[in-house]
Amino acid sequence: MKEFGFKKLMIFIVLSAAVALAYQLPYIRFTFYDEVLEAWRITDTQMGFIASAMGLTCTVCYPIGGLIANRFTTRSLMLITLAAFTVLCALNAFVTNFYGLVIIHCAYGFFGIATLWSAYLSGIRNLGSEHIQAKLFGFSEATRGLIQTAMGFVFLAIFGAVSTPIFGIRYSLLCGSVVFALFFMLGFIFLPKGVKQEKSAVKPEKKYTYLDVIKNKGTWLVILLIMSAFTSWLLGNNYMTTYTTRVLGISNALASTLGIIRTYIIVALAGFLGGWVLDKFTYKGKGFIVLFAILAALIAGVVFSHKIVGLCVGITLVFAFFVNVMKSTYWSTMNSAGIPASMTPLATGFISLIVFLPETICPLFCGPWLDAAAAAGNVAVGFNKIFLLMFVFALIGIVASFFLIKQAKALEKEDKMDIEEA
């Protein structure tokens, strides 16, 4: 990271903080679920509707975000996003009407994806050469985790200091609004105007369309790799904690403590160490073959060690580390796949639309598997089906990584021939 000076560091922090906060404040309703229900005077069904409305908005906005990021500068989009969240959090602090909450959360989804996501990925990618891509994305993920951890403790302090849930959620959201405003000012100062911050080792050669993205072989390799890694992370993140209580039989308090370790401490550690290690590999695909192979072994370890509780719990923590290494660095594979830097906004919009679909689809299978297994008197069978699904995605990830290596070598050969001809 020798390429980083103070100004680039500030750009990096603003980009990472914007995503960290934009993907934390709207979800405070899950962190303090019961308190939010009481404060907003809504039911579980209404809470589910709010979440679904926001989720649908996010899904629709992925390709829209790619188009927007392809037309406007990272600076403009980041400032719009930070300003929008400053206002939305302030409004959310006082609005308790159900329909008003739905509108606000749809707006969260729009600005969190359409004006932020692809702009963030493009901005991070263009902060350095292909040799430090894993560090850039890994360190950004770790920075996001640290910021969210700090904000989480602030929210806990606020809720502990007030007398009623409505003031807890109100002051927490107002605090978030102030922090968004602070980063808006930092962004206004440090994010360069024009396209200066969008220079990279690969200079834009042309304007791309979504047809170009779809026709690019590397797009589909990245889709397979990221979907495999993301689904493994998703299933592990959603079901490992409840597995330790329902199958291993540990207490809820201990399981919650382990959940916090997985969510915050391990995420930061995986981002910093993972980004550094992955950039040591000649080809990113080789690194991911190793990671997916380790993941497959750890999944098998969880299944076959469930009678040795301490060992099994330890394996779940190691699993959390490696799956977060993948999650924090999988966007760094775009260079190896042959996705040009100037295609990043459109490519990330299209890729995100597909790779995050398991977040909607997998619960439709996993929930019934667990319910059926519990009804049959052996809930471990349901979890084993989930682990089998994760194992299959790990194998798909290995195959995708293998072809990613072939793609990288083919691109190197083409570049060498072009140089010789020149």
Side-chain angles (χ1 to χ4, degrees):
M1 301 289 281
K2 294 178 181 178
E3 304 173 25
F4 263 52
F6 176 74
K7 191 168 184 179
K8 269 195 174 183
L9 178 62
M10 291 307 300
I11 295 170
F12 175 85
I13 290 173
V14 170
L15 292 173
S16 301
V19 174
L21 296 168
Y23 298 158
Q24 182 180 32
L25 268 297
Y27 296 97
I28 196 173
R29 65 186 190 276
F30 290 139
T31 306
F32 301 97
Y33 188 92
D34 293 327
E35 292 88 343
V36 169
L37 284 183
E38 182 180 341
W40 291 349
R41 297 180 182 178
I42 59 175
T43 64
D44 290 298
T45 300
Q46 288 174 318
M47 180 75 91
F49 186 87
I50 290 171
S52 296
M54 182 177 168
L56 179 61
T57 304
C58 289
T59 301
V60 171
C61 285
Y62 279 121
I64 296 173
L67 289 171
I68 293 174
N70 200 43
R71 286 180 172 271
F72 300 97
T73 65
T74 299
R75 172 189 169 87
S76 300
L77 294 177
M78 297 306 294
L79 292 180
I80 289 171
T81 301
L82 290 166
F85 271 90
T86 299
V87 174
L88 288 171
C89 284
L91 288 174
N92 198 181
F94 295 98
V95 173
T96 57
N97 175 269
F98 171 67
Y99 296 105
L101 292 169
V102 171
I103 293 171
I104 287 173
H105 281 80
C106 285
Y108 279 144
F110 175 82
F111 288 104
I113 300 300
T115 64
L116 175 61
W117 182 238
S118 289
Y120 158 74
L121 293 174
S122 299
I124 292 294
R125 183 183 182 186
N126 290 322
L127 279 174
S129 68
E130 62 179 298
H131 304 296
I132 62 167
Q133 287 295 299
K135 290 189 188 75
L136 285 171
F137 283 102
F139 288 12
S140 179
E141 183 87 8
T143 302
R144 289 161 52 184
L146 292 175
I147 292 170
Q148 289 176 338
T149 301
M151 292 298 292
F153 282 120
V154 170
F155 297 152
L156 283 172
I158 290 172
F159 270 89
V162 298
S163 56
T164 60
I166 190 168
F167 288 117
I169 187 67
R170 176 170 295 169
Y171 294 146
S172 294
L173 287 167
L174 287 175
C175 174
S177 179
V178 170
V179 176
F180 270 117
L182 172 63
F183 279 103
F184 173 86
M185 289 186 284
L186 291 175
F188 188 83
I189 295 169
F190 290 105
L191 292 176
K193 297 180 181 178
V195 297
K196 288 183 180 179
Q197 86 275 22
E198 299 190 355
K199 283 186 178 180
S200 69
V202 183
K203 293 183 180 179
E205 296 178 353
K206 57 176 280 190
K207 286 289 185 180
Y208 292 97
T209 66
Y210 270 125
L211 182 60
D212 295 315
V213 173
I214 293 170
K215 289 165 63 177
N216 189 310
K217 179 182 176 182
T219 299
W220 299 98
L221 290 176
V222 172
I223 284 174
L224 278 177
L225 188 147
I226 293 183
M227 180 177 282
S228 299
F230 174 74
T231 305
S232 299
W233 172 86
L234 175 73
L235 295 175
N237 197 52
N238 284 354
Y239 296 105
M240 279 300 183
T241 298
T242 185
Y243 176 78
T244 59
T245 58
R246 299 172 71 179
V247 176
L248 302 185
I250 69 173
S251 67
N252 287 329
L254 178 57
S256 297
T257 301
L258 293 173
I260 291 172
I261 292 173
R262 289 192 196 97
T263 303
Y264 296 117
I265 299 173
I266 287 180
V267 168
L269 188 63
F272 286 123
L273 291 181
W276 180 76
V277 170
L278 195 62
D279 274 334
K280 297 294 183 183
F281 284 88
T282 310
Y283 299 102
K284 293 292 188 291
K286 287 185 178 180
F288 273 93
I289 285 178
V290 173
L291 289 170
F292 278 116
I294 291 173
L295 201 65
L298 290 170
I299 293 168
V302 170
V303 174
F304 292 110
S305 69
H306 68 278
K307 291 185 179 180
I308 309 173
V309 175
L311 175 62
C312 192
V313 168
I315 293 174
T316 65
L317 294 176
V318 177
F319 170 89
F321 173 78
F322 281 102
V323 81
N324 275 289
V325 166
M326 292 196 298
K327 181 177 179 289
S328 65
T329 58
Y330 50 41
W331 288 106
S332 70
T333 59
M334 289 187 286
N335 275 320
S336 299
I339 298 174
S342 54
M343 189 188 281
T344 304
L346 293 178
T348 53
F350 179 75
I351 292 168
S352 297
L353 176 66
I354 298 175
V355 300
F356 296 138
L357 284 175
E359 194 167 13
T360 302
I361 297 172
C362 285
L364 300 178
F365 297 97
C366 296
W369 284 345
L370 293 178
D371 286 339
N378 189 1
V379 73
V381 172
F383 282 104
N384 287 342
K385 290 181 180 180
I386 295 173
F387 293 142
L388 178 60
L389 182 61
M390 293 164 65
F391 190 84
V392 170
F393 272 105
L395 296 181
I396 293 172
I398 291 173
V399 174
S401 301
F402 173 77
F403 282 105
L404 184 66
I405 296 171
K406 294 188 66 174
Q407 173 79 342
K409 289 181 177 179
L411 291 169
E412 284 182 354
K413 187 176 180 180
E414 287 179 11
D415 290 341
K416 186 177 180 181
M417 291 176 63
D418 289 342
I419 292 172
E420 289 175 352
E421 289 178 3

